[in-house]
Amino acid sequence: MQEVFSRIEQPGVSLHNQEFYELRLYDSDNIWRPGHMIMQSRATWSEVDRQFMWDEIETERFLTLEVAEERYAARRRALVEVGFSVSDMDI
């Protein structure tokens, strides 16, 4: 599962002035440390690079899918609470 979150902005606001968060739930591909991973990262426009750059990458590992889904939901709620209420999954 993967979602990209953004804030509701004024019409006509350039993408260069916006910020996005990606939230992803996936299975670990590490055979020595199996589990379910959650990754959250932030994207902002870099004028120097002329592209969106991803940073603030946080990952968590969980042994069960149930616990990983609960943590995913908690991170999703936290993003919505700080204003990132538009998800590409809602489209």
Side-chain angles (χ1 to χ4, degrees):
M1 177 177 354
Q2 176 182 352
E3 289 183 80
V4 176
F5 295 88
S6 62
R7 289 188 168 138
I8 297 174
E9 297 289 340
Q10 297 294 329
V13 172
S14 169
L15 283 177
H16 300 170
N17 297 323
Q18 294 187 32
E19 167 181 37
F20 302 91
Y21 278 90
E22 176 188 25
L23 188 57
R24 184 185 308 182
L25 171 60
Y26 60 98
D27 292 333
S28 172
D29 59 359
N30 183 336
I31 63 170
W32 306 112
R33 295 192 64 199
H36 306 280
M37 304 293 293
I38 294 177
M39 183 183 76
Q40 179 176 313
S41 55
R42 182 177 73 110
T44 55
W45 180 258
S46 169
E47 193 61 41
V48 172
D49 299 306
R50 306 287 303 155
Q51 65 181 352
F52 282 97
M53 302 297 285
W54 295 92
D55 64 0
E56 296 183 15
I57 299 169
E58 301 173 13
T59 59
E60 294 179 282
R61 177 187 313 274
F62 300 94
L63 293 177
T64 67
L65 180 57
E66 181 180 325
V67 174
E69 287 174 337
E70 290 171 6
R71 183 64 181 138
Y72 182 96
R75 281 187 174 262
R76 189 180 201 283
R77 281 191 304 274
L79 287 170
V80 169
E81 287 176 8
V82 296
F84 290 89
S85 58
V86 179
S87 166
D88 66 338
M89 296 287 283
D90 296 336
I91 297 173

